[in-house]
Amino acid sequence: MSGFLRILENEVQLVALLFLVFVYLFRLVWLFKFRSRKERTFPVGKEGRGITRSLMNVAMPWGMESTRKNPGFYVQFVIFHIGVAAAIAASFIIPYWPSLLEIKAVVRLFQVAIAGGLIVGLLRLYRRIAQPRIRLISTPDDYLSLIFMILFFAAAVLAVPNESKTAEWPLILFFGLTAFLLIFVPFSKISHYLYYPFGRYFFGRTLGHRG
C-alpha cells in the first residue's frame, strides 16, 4: 500500500468525518433553539403511542398510501438503504478490519448489497428524468445527490475486494468519493436522515395527542 492511499484511508477520512460531525452538531444546536408549543386541544389519544407509531413508520409500508399502492417503491427503498449501509460499513472495514474481506463470501455479500443500491439509484435517476411530473419538482440537489450516490456505489463495488497489492485505483477512487461525500452530505438532501427522528417525534406526538 502506498503512503498516499494509507493517508487517504485514515487521516483524510477522519478529518472529513469530524467535519461532518461538527456541521451536524451545529445544525442540531440551531434546531433546538426552536421550541414547540404545547397542544391546546383536548387530549383524545396517547402521545406515546403516536410517537412510537410515527418513528416506526419507516418499517410499516402499509401505513403510507404511496407504498401501500406501490409496494415496489418500498422494496427499492429497502434495497437502496441496505446498499448505503454496506458501502459505509466497507469504508471502515477496509482500513480497520481488512481480514474480514479475505473471506470471499463476505466480499460477494457486500458487492451484491452495494450493487443492489447502485441499480436502484440508476432507476431513481431515470424516473426523475423520464417522468415529467417528477422532473418538474426536481432540484439540482436531487440530481447531484443521486449521481454522487451512484458513483459512490460503483466505486464501493470495485473497492470491496481490497486488492491494493494489485491495483490501488479502485480504493483511491472509493475513499476519495467517501471523503467528498462526508463533506457534501450535510449540505445536501442526503442529510434528511438527521431530521427524521425529530420530525417523526413531533409529528407523532401531535397526532397521538389528537387521537
Side-chain angles (χ1 to χ4, degrees), residues 21-35 194-195 198:
V21 171
F22 174 78
V23 175
Y24 275 177
L25 289 175
F26 180 82
R27 293 178 77 168
L28 288 176
V29 169
W30 172 82
L31 179 67
F32 282 107
K33 286 184 178 180
F34 299 92
R35 301 297 179 184
L194 175 68
Y195 298 109
F198 305 104

Side-chain angles (χ1 to χ4, degrees), residues 91-148:
S91 70
F92 289 96
I93 291 172
I94 290 173
Y96 304 119
W97 192 10
S99 59
L100 181 64
L101 298 177
E102 293 175 3
I103 305 171
K104 290 185 178 180
V106 173
V107 171
R108 294 292 175 264
L109 181 63
F110 269 85
Q111 287 183 317
V112 168
I114 297 167
L118 171 61
I119 293 170
V120 172
L122 289 169
L123 290 173
R124 287 185 171 188
L125 183 60
Y126 172 77
R127 176 171 172 264
R128 193 169 290 279
I129 295 172
Q131 294 190 12
R133 61 188 178 87
I134 303 298
R135 190 168 63 246
L136 185 64
I137 61 172
S138 297
T139 66
D141 186 16
D142 292 317
Y143 293 108
L144 281 175
S145 295
L146 259 179
I147 290 170
F148 286 140

Side-chain angles (χ1 to χ4, degrees), residues 7 14-15 27 41-42 59 69 78 82 97 105 110 133 142 149 153 156-157 182 189 194 202:
I7 293 173
L14 292 175
V15 169
R27 293 178 77 168
T41 56
F42 184 78
K69 291 184 176 180
V78 172
I82 288 175
W97 192 10
F110 269 85
R133 61 188 178 87
D142 292 317
M149 288 306 301
F153 286 140
V157 170
L182 287 171
K189 67 172 291 183
L194 175 68
F202 289 114

Side-chain angles (χ1 to χ4, degrees), residues 36-193:
S36 62
R37 293 183 178 180
K38 291 184 178 181
E39 277 284 332
R40 296 181 179 179
T41 56
F42 184 78
V44 179
K46 295 182 179 180
E47 291 184 0
R49 289 185 63 185
I51 292 167
T52 301
R53 183 177 178 82
S54 181
L55 287 171
M56 293 300 295
N57 188 63
V58 69
M60 298 187 297
W62 59 87
M64 294 184 290
E65 184 180 9
S66 59
T67 51
R68 187 167 58 247
K69 291 184 176 180
N70 300 284
F73 287 164
Y74 186 76
V75 174
Q76 288 185 19
F77 166 83
V78 172
I79 293 173
F80 186 84
H81 287 83
I82 288 175
V84 171
I88 293 174
S91 70
F92 289 96
I93 291 172
I94 290 173
Y96 304 119
W97 192 10
S99 59
L100 181 64
L101 298 177
E102 293 175 3
I103 305 171
K104 290 185 178 180
V106 173
V107 171
R108 294 292 175 264
L109 181 63
F110 269 85
Q111 287 183 317
V112 168
I114 297 167
L118 171 61
I119 293 170
V120 172
L122 289 169
L123 290 173
R124 287 185 171 188
L125 183 60
Y126 172 77
R127 176 171 172 264
R128 193 169 290 279
I129 295 172
Q131 294 190 12
R133 61 188 178 87
I134 303 298
R135 190 168 63 246
L136 185 64
I137 61 172
S138 297
T139 66
D141 186 16
D142 292 317
Y143 293 108
L144 281 175
S145 295
L146 259 179
I147 290 170
F148 286 140
M149 288 306 301
I150 289 168
L151 293 174
F152 180 58
F153 286 140
V157 170
L158 296 174
V160 164
N162 194 23
E163 297 173 344
S164 59
K165 293 180 181 179
T166 55
E168 288 191 349
W169 70 265
L171 291 166
I172 291 173
L173 177 63
F174 175 58
F175 283 102
L177 279 169
T178 303
F180 171 79
L181 281 172
L182 287 171
I183 295 172
F184 171 75
V185 162
F187 305 103
S188 72
K189 67 172 291 183
I190 303 174
S191 65
H192 64 273
Y193 62 82

